[in-house]
Amino acid sequence: MKTRHTAYRILVVCLLVLFAAVSLIPFLYLLVTSFVDDMSLVFRHGIALRVTPDLLSIENYRMLATDSDGLFFRWFGNSVVITVSFTILSIALSSMTGYGVGMYRFRGRRAIIVLILSTMMIPIETLMIPLYNEMRAFNLLNSVAGVILPFAVSAFTIYFFLQYTQSLSQDFMDAARLDGCGEFGIFVRIMIPLMKPAYASMLILQATTEWNDFLWPLIVMSKSESFTLTVGLQTYLSPYGNNYNLMFAGAVVSVVPVMILFFLCQKLFMEGMIAGGIKG
Amino acid sequence: MKKKKLFTQKTVPYLFCAPFLLSFFIFLLYPMLNMICTSVFNLQGVSTYVFVGADHYRRLLTDPHIVSAVLNSIGFTVGIVVVNVVFAMLLAILLNNRLTPLRNVFRSALYIPALTSIVVAGIFFRLFFAGNADTPLNLLAGLFGQSAREWLYDTKLTGILALVFTSTWRWLGMNLLYFLSGLQTISPELYDAAYVDGANAWQKFRYVTLPGLRPILVFVITILTYGGLRMFGESYVLWRNSNTPGDIGLTIVLYIYRTAFGQFDMGYASAMSVVLFAFLMVLNAVFIKVFGIGKGGTGR
């Protein structure tokens, strides 16, 4: 038995190390290459480039900071503003609906659940044209509101919270009502604290999704000073010439904030996703 | 005197649901109807719309790009579902086993790619699939006696494989978490019972794990199918938004995007969106009927 366990362990670790390597090597490559000043070498050798210490410098990052009067910082700022406001709005509104549908019995509840489930599967991609026209009519093109409003209430997030409320007890609500607590008060003061792991999971998921979102900001933001990071980075590659120096350095900088967020909330996130999460 | 409350147990649920309903009408129902209207008009000049009836829909039937785009999207979807389900389930089972060392470390390591944007992933994978002879992929091909090739511009199939690989790199971690969460719902007693009955590892998987994972399996397959059919970013970044020979890597949504925002042919692009939308709604109905998705969430 003992030897079988050891054999299993060795085999599994080899397999997992392989997958972890595939997951992490691209980051390592981007990080190292972002310090290579001479991009013609990168062009010639691609990912087979053998980096030696004498190739390294921080020149790319200096270029990134000074390019077009710090345009990169504008993009970074736009991404921060959009991600923070979207995440807060989305989690607040979606958890409200998920909680309301999950914890109350009322007329029309079934109909709303059916609506939530069927909209969960409607890809925004099919609606990008009418939504673009709508945003233009509202004069919201090139604005933060234009990027965040259409998708702030997410059926997926609602569904996640709806599932999570199944672990909450109605008894808490009855007890609070006896104590004279209002219905909204029950939500804010009792249920939100109980749903903390769900909030942590959705915080990370929504924040990273929004930070990395590409198609919708690409459509809404057409002025270079209102780009988000993903849209801006992509413009370093253009038919008029590629700027790999800026692209590599910018890519590394753009990954750092989500990494920090992830490592800060990692434990709560994993717990919320794995223990509370989607049950199908 | 008791203060009369505005929100009682009867009225407050409607307040809670208000954000969803508002968003549904403004950002879903209205745009949808609007899109159906746009699809039978043609924009001429700056803002003159001419009624063209079903012309756009007729054009759909004879457009060769549509065939390529649909084939690419379907090929990609099949690939992504198979690869992600098999590997995510396998890894989840390994990472759920108490005998596996460093479970938390591996869990995080495998999830980290999910934190990147497709733009960042694209920078790496464009170079990864490049044509120089000394890339790992071409070295591997050399071992099998194949000559080095530009994987992104070789054939439609290599294009799809590149898309599947790039997406899986980013999506596997998330699906892994879904399966891990599904594994928590299987009662350990079932495994004990299987052990008592003398079941081997394969029998335990076949008769305990797999049936227990069924709801999450359905969920993951659903998500991946929709994710596959709507895929845009991978294709956009790998081929830099340029036309490829033989429409390699062109997907449905990318074609719609180019038609709408590249050629500003909003009417035709809307017609394509309407068809895609209708198709996905039918698929949705089939999934709900066959798999009974969402039954778990509506109980109580």
Side-chain angles (χ1 to χ4, degrees), chain A residues 6-224:
Chain A
T6 320
Y8 166 86
R9 283 209 175 100
I10 293 171
L11 198 71
V12 163
V13 168
C14 288
L15 195 70
L16 288 173
V17 165
L18 179 74
F19 273 93
V22 173
S23 297
L24 299 179
I25 282 173
F27 292 101
L28 201 66
Y29 172 78
L30 284 181
L31 183 67
V32 172
T33 315
S34 72
F35 290 100
V36 175
D37 185 16
D38 184 0
M39 277 292 153
S40 64
L41 285 174
V42 177
F43 271 126
R44 208 168 319 135
H45 300 286
I47 56 169
L49 176 66
R50 274 195 196 78
V51 180
T52 48
D54 58 297
L55 291 176
L56 302 180
S57 78
I58 57 161
E59 192 49 39
N60 292 340
Y61 288 91
R62 195 175 299 139
M63 275 167 71
L64 188 71
T66 50
D67 177 61
S68 312
D69 300 323
L71 190 59
F72 184 81
F73 294 111
R74 291 281 311 248
W75 298 344
F76 196 92
N78 293 340
S79 275
V80 170
V81 169
I82 286 173
T83 303
V84 170
S85 46
F86 177 86
T87 308
I88 292 171
L89 195 68
S90 171
I91 291 182
L93 297 180
S94 307
S95 68
M96 251 171 82
T97 304
Y99 167 81
V101 174
M103 298 303 276
Y104 290 92
R105 299 291 163 272
F106 55 97
R107 281 187 69 173
R109 174 172 179 268
R110 269 217 75 88
I112 292 182
I113 290 181
V114 169
L115 272 189
I116 294 169
L117 286 175
S118 35
T119 53
M120 201 160 88
M121 297 306 168
I122 294 179
I124 69 122
E125 285 80 357
T126 56
L127 290 173
M128 60 190 174
I129 298 163
L131 278 173
Y132 169 81
N133 291 330
E134 196 175 0
M135 290 302 117
R136 198 175 49 187
F138 289 162
N139 224 348
L140 289 178
L141 291 184
N142 287 306
S143 77
V144 171
V147 176
I148 66 174
L149 283 183
F151 309 108
V153 183
S154 136
F156 179 83
T157 315
I158 293 176
Y159 187 65
F160 185 88
F161 279 100
L162 173 62
Q163 294 268 335
Y164 203 85
T165 58
Q166 302 203 320
S167 64
L168 304 178
S169 164
Q170 296 271 356
D171 300 344
F172 285 121
M173 303 174 74
D174 293 334
R177 274 181 204 126
L178 284 179
D179 289 343
C181 191
E183 297 297 323
F184 208 75
I186 295 176
F187 175 57
V188 175
R189 263 174 285 163
I190 299 172
M191 292 309 185
I192 289 186
L194 285 176
M195 294 194 285
K196 225 186 203 163
Y199 277 97
S201 305
M202 285 300 110
L203 174 84
I204 299 214
L205 209 56
Q206 294 284 37
T208 50
T209 310
E210 189 62 14
W211 181 265
N212 293 328
D213 195 17
F214 181 52
L215 175 60
W216 185 239
L218 179 72
I219 291 173
V220 174
M221 303 305 210
S222 55
K223 291 195 187 121
S224 67

Side-chain angles (χ1 to χ4, degrees), chain A residues 8-9 22 27 45 48 97 107 113 123 125-126 130 134 165 170 177 212 218 237 266 273-274 278, chain B residues 9 14 16 26 31 35 97 99-100 108 115-116 126 128 132 134 169 174 181 216 230 257 280 298 300:
Chain A
Y8 166 86
R9 283 209 175 100
V22 173
F27 292 101
H45 300 286
T97 304
R107 281 187 69 173
I113 290 181
E125 285 80 357
T126 56
E134 196 175 0
T165 58
Q170 296 271 356
R177 274 181 204 126
N212 293 328
L218 179 72
L237 293 181
Q266 190 185 8
M273 286 306 291
I274 294 170
I278 298 285
Chain B
Q9 219 172 320
Y14 298 102
F16 282 129
I26 302 174
M35 176 169 75
N97 191 331
L99 289 175
T100 306
S108 297
L115 301 171
T116 54
R126 241 189 335 260
F128 183 77
N132 26 348
D134 47 0
W169 183 73
M174 197 64 220
S181 115
I216 210 74
R230 68 197 274 191
Y257 172 84
L280 290 173
T298 55
R300 260 175 74 154

